[in-house]
């Protein structure tokens, strides 16, 4: 009991501290033109109560994390239920039969979606799927390779501008631009990766950030070629055998292109993560020194992750340009990169379902919760911090593939071992 | 000879951690490197395995059946591919990967498949992957870790983690195995098993073994030759009995029990 | 006054501000090896708090000198409080986890603080009051320096001297040096590492806030976004000089400030920001440890 009182007192102090800390910015609002001050005392109350509640929860969660307290009573029961439930869901999902059903169900729903909803919703879904691909691409670099990249939007920009410019100057069509945009993005990524190869990982973060800013600034200032801040209008929509399509048909068409790209991405990333190269990436992420010592070339592993990861940004960049028919540098700021990063981190670094769900949730929620739209970035920021403190693995934590070993195989291995023993004894 | 080190020197700023050390290992030997804390033993390992670029000296190594060649200053992964594999003093496994995958990473430098193969899973890639799983299981079985194959490495008990490091090193097909304090943190039972394992590996795998260890009974019991370092310099070398009696060594270890 | 001196003077002004911010980066990196992405936000919060306080004091009818001192000092104290709190909330709990986690947490913090100010105050540019009085005797100098510029140089110099003294001769300074060399060893020898880290954040935040206030009264306007670019550039300066090294951060800042000014003045002002990033790329390729940095070999 005294323990609990003590905790509450600490939280009260925290709350007072935050009231003091946020006072000038939260409470005072000066109108410099009229020379009047608005004292927003209600904000002070809000901070006081809010930080008290958050502090109570935070402290409790922290003690749970460090194992200082165990959940008791209702909490324990709820916790145990949720835990058991999650485990059950996991085992059910792990069975191949359920998986096939789930995936085919999802696929059917995805195919039916544009025909069941309006163009408005289809457009929102296209955006969400775009972020799924961006997230999966970045996931290769950060979730598998363990390299913090905060300039991913630059690849998106490179893809978009590749199509816009190649089309404007050389009349190259959408389908040809797709692979070109993807390849250019991959190539650029390798180029930025090169100078950081010898350096510790965190330099990559700042170099990628710098590179993304350079890209944006060049696009913005190279007026003659890129149209500068005004951007490039009238980019042709994707064509299908020269058919003329009406707007809503094009939207549906783009939706299916996006869906195909999502499926392709998931397929490729899934194959890669359980291959030799995927193992190299994960090993590099977990301990790059041991990884080198085990005979893996870090330079090669880094470059492949950077290159393959960036390709997806370029790919959807082309689709983005074709879909909006207008692009300008403002779409590719650093915060765009941070949003993509948030989807990966929240969903679960390294986990395909995690990134998939993370991107869908983070992109769809703000669309449908308009009143919260202005708090979006604030909440993302807070989520990134809380996530790192309490659940660095994200909502859906990646589990490594278990290799199923049948009894027969095990036996053959053991026999092979016995044979080898005999060989040496001879 | 499988390893021949001459006048190896390593400086960190003003600190000379390894100072003109000569050392060599014959094929099939078990050799120990001992010395007080901070003597420069791990640094010596790091120079040999390419983790540090030595300031001076020469390092040559090669398979017993081949000519030895210089490996000084090469990248660590190249040296591993050349056939020197190591473990770490403070365990460095890939904690979230499974035990099997840890060993599979060890096999990596002997594999060929690339990105295209990974995406299309052509028959060659599939065969190679199946082979890797099989080889890795075989190694785990040999080290006695097969029952944990699909467990995350971090969930293993401490002693098993140390053995997994050895398994992972073995997977690279080395001719020289460098073990940095393999018995650290093990209980006497685990240590005895470890001694047996190391002997067995030397006998059955055609290996030479080079180990750093503070556990004197293990060193005296296991190694055929011993090198002693202190303050970066080699202060003695020879058979266990000789080294044990060497007054210079006893002085370096002042207070520590060498005669165990 | 000719164009060249003007450009150089503006370069030195920038350099001074970068130095004030870069100190925090380099000190924090020196001790916990974290690129504190949210450091630029502290600089912005410093400027914002000063702006708010100065406006309030003006409305209450205080005189200029009082406003200058009160607003600046309170804003600096507040920023230090923010820095302290930020470390406790976002970095301390994950000090032992992967570096990636700490970096992501730092980015989250940066995003949070920016939007906190944007929502609680405004996303528009606000005019920053000229709180620095005019020093008539400055016109006696052979080169024409504005009083804001003079204040910037003078404050930077004073901060450098104080900081050097603090680190070289005080107990906490010794603890900081010990902790930056070997945290575990320092702890064993009785250094309170938590306290050292807090103090580092407090000092770094205070100097960044000072920089924020000075530059804002020089440029005359601020918004919630100013910390971002300034922060990145100060980081570039810290890397340029050799991250972890305090004299390095100062040197790097002046080199960066001058390069930017010269580049903008003689090549093209459109690409002003690009120069900083190009310099970063060049250093990382040519001398990754920076001008004064010692190339350390990671311990295995
Ligand atoms: N990367 C490095 N940078 C600077 N100094 C280093 C580095 N690596 C090792 N040293 C220093 O070199 C000396 C030798 O260290 P080393 O780790 O080789 O000792 P050791 O013999 O392995 O000791 P122990 O028995 O405690 O493991 C020590 O003083 C250590 O601080
Ligand atoms: Mg050692």
């Amino acid at each position: 009991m005294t323990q609990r009182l003590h905790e509450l007192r600490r939280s009260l102090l925290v709350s007072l501290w935050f009231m003091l800390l946020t006072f000038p910015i939260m409470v005072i609002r000066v109108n410099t033109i009229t020379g009047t001050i608005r004292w927003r005392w209600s904000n002070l109350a809000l901070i006081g109560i809010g930080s008290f509640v958050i502090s109570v929860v935070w402290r409790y969660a922290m003690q749970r994390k460090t194992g200082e307290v165990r959940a008791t009573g209702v909490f324990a029961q709820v916790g145990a239920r949720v835990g058991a439930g999650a485990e059950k869901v996991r085992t059910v999902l792990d069975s191949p039969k359920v998986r096939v059903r789930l995936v085919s169900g999802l696929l059917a729903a995805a195919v039916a979606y544009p025909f069941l909803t309006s163009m408005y919703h289809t457009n929102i879904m296209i955006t969400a799927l775009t972020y799924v691909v961006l997230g999966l691409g970045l996931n290769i670099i950060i979730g598998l390779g363990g390299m913090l990249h905060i300039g991913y939007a630059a690849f998106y920009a490179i893809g978009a501008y590749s199509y816009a410019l190649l089309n404007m100057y050389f009349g190259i069509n959408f389908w040809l631009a797709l692979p070109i945009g993807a390849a250019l993005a991959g190539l650029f990524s390798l180029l930025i990766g090169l100078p950081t190869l010898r350096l510790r990982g965190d330099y990559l973060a700042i170099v990628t950030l710098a590179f993304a800013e350079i890209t944006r600034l060049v696009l913005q200032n190279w007026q003659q070629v890129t149209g500068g801040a005004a951007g490039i209008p009238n980019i042709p929509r994707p064509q299908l055998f020269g058919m003329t399509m009406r707007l809503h048909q094009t939207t549906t068409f783009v939706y299916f292109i996006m869906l195909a790209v999502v499926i392709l991405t998931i397929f490729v990333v899934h194959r890669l993560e359980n291959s030799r190269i995927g193992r190299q990436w994960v090993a590099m992420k977990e301990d790059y020194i041991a990884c080198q010592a085990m005979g893996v070339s870090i330079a090669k592993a880094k470059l492949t992750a950077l290159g393959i990861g960036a390709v997806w940004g370029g790919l959807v960049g082309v689709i983005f340009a074709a879909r909006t028919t207008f692009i300008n540098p403002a779409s590719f700021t650093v915060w765009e990169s941070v949003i993509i990063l948030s989807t990966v981190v929240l969903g679960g670094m390294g986990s395909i379902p995690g990134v998939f769900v993370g991107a869908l949730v983070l992109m769809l929620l703000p669309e449908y919760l308009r009143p919260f739209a202005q708090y979006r970035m604030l909440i993302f920021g807070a989520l990134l911090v809380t996530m790192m403190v309490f659940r660095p693995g994200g909502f859906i934590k990646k589990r490594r593939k278990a290799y199923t070993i049948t009894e027969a195989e095990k036996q053959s291995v053991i026999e092979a071992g016995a044979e080898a023993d005999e060989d040496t004894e001879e | 000879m499988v390893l021949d080190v001459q006048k190896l020197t390593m400086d960190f700023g003003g600190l000379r951690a390894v100072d003109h050390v000569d050392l060599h290992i014959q094929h099939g030997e078990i050799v120990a490197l001992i010395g007080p804390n901070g003597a420069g033993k791990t640094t010596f390992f790091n120079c040999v395995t390419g983790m540090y670029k030595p300031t001076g000296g020469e390092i040559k190594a090669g398979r017993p059946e081949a000519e030895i060649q210089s490996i000084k200053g090469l990248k660590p992964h190249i040296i591993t591919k050349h056939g020197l594999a190591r473990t770490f003093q403070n365990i460095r496994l890939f904690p979230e990967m499974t035990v099997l995958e840890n060993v599979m990473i060890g096999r990596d430098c002997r594999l060929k498949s690339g990105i295209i193969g990974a995406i299309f899973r052509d028959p060659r890639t599939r065969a190679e992957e199946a082979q890797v799983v099989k080889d890795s299981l075989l190694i785990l079985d040999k080290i006695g870790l097969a029952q944990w194959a699909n467990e995350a490495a971090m969930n293993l008990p401490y002693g098993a983690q140390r053995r997994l490091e050895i398994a992972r090193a073995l997977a690279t097909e080395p001719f020289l195995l460098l073990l940095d304090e393999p018995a650290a943190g093990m209980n006497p039972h685990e240590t005895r098993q470890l001694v047996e394992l190391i002997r067995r590996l030397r006998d059955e795998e055609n290996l030479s073994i080079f180990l750093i260890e503070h556990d004197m009974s293990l060193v005296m019991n296991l190694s055929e030759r011993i090198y002693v370092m202190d303050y970066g310099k080699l202060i003695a070398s020879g058979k266990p009995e000789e080294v044990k009696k060497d007054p210079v060594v006893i002085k370096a270890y002042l207070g520590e029990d060498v005669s165990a | 006054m000719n164009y060249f001196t003007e450009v150089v003077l503006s370069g030195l002004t920038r350099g001074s501000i970068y130095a004030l911010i870069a100190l925090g980066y380099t000190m924090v990196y020196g001790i916990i090896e974290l690129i504190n992405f949210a450091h630029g936000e502290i600089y912005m919060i410093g400027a914002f708090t000063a702006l708010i306080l100065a406006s309030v004091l003006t409305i209450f009818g205080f005189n200029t000198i009082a406003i200058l001192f009160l607003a600046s000092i309170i804003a600096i104290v507040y920023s230090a409080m923010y820095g302290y709190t930020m470390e406790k909330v976002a970095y301390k709990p994950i000090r032992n986890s992967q570096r990636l986690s700490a970096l992501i947490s730092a980015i989250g913090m940066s995003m949070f603080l920016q939007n906190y100010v944007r929502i609680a105050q405004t996303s528009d540019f606000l005019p920053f009051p000229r709180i620095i009085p005019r020093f008539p005797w400055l016109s006696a100098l052979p080169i024409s320096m504005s009083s804001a510029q003079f204040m910037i140089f003078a404050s930077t110099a004073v901060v450098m001297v104080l900081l050097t003294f603090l680190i070289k001769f005080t107990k906490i300074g010794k603890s900081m040096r010990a902790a930056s060399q070997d945290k575990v060893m320092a702890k064993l020898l009785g250094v309170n590492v938590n306290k050292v880290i807090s103090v580092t954040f407090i000092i770094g935040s205070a100097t960044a806030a000072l920089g924020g206030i000075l530059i804002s009264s020089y440029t005359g306007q601020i918004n919630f976004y100013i910390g971002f670019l300034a922060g990145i550039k100060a980081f570039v300066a810290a890397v340029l000089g050799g991250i972890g090294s305090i004299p390095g951060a100062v040197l790097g800042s002046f080199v960066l400030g001058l390069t930017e000014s010269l580049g903008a003045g003689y090549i093209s002002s459109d690409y002003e920001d690009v120069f900083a990033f190009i310099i970063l790329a060049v250093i990382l390729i040519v001398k990754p440890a920076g001008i004064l940095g010692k190339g350390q070999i990671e311990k295995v």
Side-chain angles (χ1 to χ4, degrees), chain B residues 38 41-43 89 180-181 212 214:
Chain B
K41 307 178 295 292
T42 301
T43 307
Q89 178 171 354
D180 196 344
E181 302 196 15
I212 296 175
H214 281 297

Side-chain angles (χ1 to χ4, degrees), chain B residues 100-161:
Chain B
L100 184 67
E101 282 179 312
N102 267 273
V103 180
M104 285 162 82
I105 285 290
R107 294 294 307 150
D108 194 86
C109 60
R110 307 292 167 207
L111 305 185
K112 292 199 179 61
S113 61
I115 300 167
I116 306 292
I119 296 172
F120 293 103
R121 285 215 185 137
D122 55 308
R124 236 196 49 209
T125 310
R126 251 181 302 170
E128 193 183 77
E129 278 293 289
Q131 191 62 44
V132 173
V133 174
K134 216 166 159 183
D135 292 345
S136 305
L137 268 176
L138 194 63
I139 293 167
L140 282 179
D141 192 55
K142 209 174 285 170
I143 309 290
L145 294 170
Q147 75 269 31
W148 280 309
N150 279 325
E151 195 65 48
M154 62 183 173
N155 297 340
L156 290 191
Y158 189 82
Q161 293 198 7

